[in-house]
Amino acid sequence: EGLVTCRRDRRSRIYGLADPSVALALEHLFDLAERVSPAFAAADAAAGPDAPVSVRVVRDDLRRRKAALVDIRDAHETAHSPIDGAIPMPLAEIRKRARSLARSRTYYVVCRGRACELAVQGVALLRAMGFRAYRLKESPASLRAQAHSRVA
């Protein structure tokens, strides 16, 4: 009990966050680090096209359907905490399912947040297939919180 949960699935252990607010707290720490540490902010800037992009920057393109979110988490995670408007496409299925994507759109890969290595892999796979793809900074919990704050 605490910040992380664990469940057994045969031989594996599957870890998760005990509450979506844990993901939000982690994102706030990353945001704080960017504001107070020039070195932290410079590391993202040095990553160039591999740097994570904020949904705030691409929101207009998403609304005009010039871009789309691709959720590469596994089916269990996606079902447990879906992202409104995102295309669910688990990393293991990207090669097969990417054929359904329009090449005219830009794709922003969503995973568990800006530190998720799966998003980096998803972007690399989509780019290797000729798509314009970037990693999104926000976690699913953050995207939901932003959507609720716009409605309220």
Side-chain angles (χ1 to χ4, degrees):
E1 302 260 338
L3 301 177
V4 178
T5 62
C6 177
R7 69 178 172 87
R8 290 180 185 256
D9 183 21
R10 296 183 189 168
R11 294 183 184 173
S12 301
R13 288 186 179 177
I14 300 169
Y15 294 93
L17 298 177
D19 188 89
S21 61
V22 176
L24 293 174
L26 182 59
E27 283 196 46
H28 289 304
L29 287 174
F30 273 112
D31 291 342
L32 177 63
E34 284 179 346
R35 283 196 305 273
V36 301
S37 171
F40 193 89
D44 265 358
D50 292 327
V53 178
S54 174
V55 73
R56 293 177 205 104
V57 174
V58 300
R59 190 169 280 133
D60 285 342
D61 284 348
L62 292 168
R63 283 186 189 128
R64 289 182 284 176
R65 303 188 49 80
K66 290 183 175 185
L69 300 179
V70 174
D71 184 352
I72 61 161
R73 297 173 300 152
D74 66 39
H76 173 77
E77 283 183 83
T78 301
H80 182 69
S81 61
I83 300 169
D84 224 16
I87 302 164
M89 190 175 298
L91 183 63
E93 299 174 18
I94 250 181
R95 280 194 173 92
K96 178 175 52 173
R97 298 200 36 218
R99 295 181 200 134
S100 67
L101 300 176
R103 296 213 178 261
S104 60
R105 295 173 94 182
T106 300
Y107 295 95
Y108 295 94
V109 176
V110 181
C111 192
R112 297 174 189 118
R114 74 179 85 188
C116 184
E117 185 60 29
L118 295 177
V120 173
Q121 294 173 31
V123 166
L125 283 169
L126 287 171
R127 285 180 180 173
M129 296 170 71
F131 292 98
R132 286 185 313 275
Y134 303 92
R135 185 167 48 112
L136 201 67
K137 270 186 183 184
E138 289 82 2
S139 69
S142 177
L143 293 172
R144 280 190 300 281
Q146 289 180 39
H148 291 306
S149 69
R150 282 195 307 273
V151 172

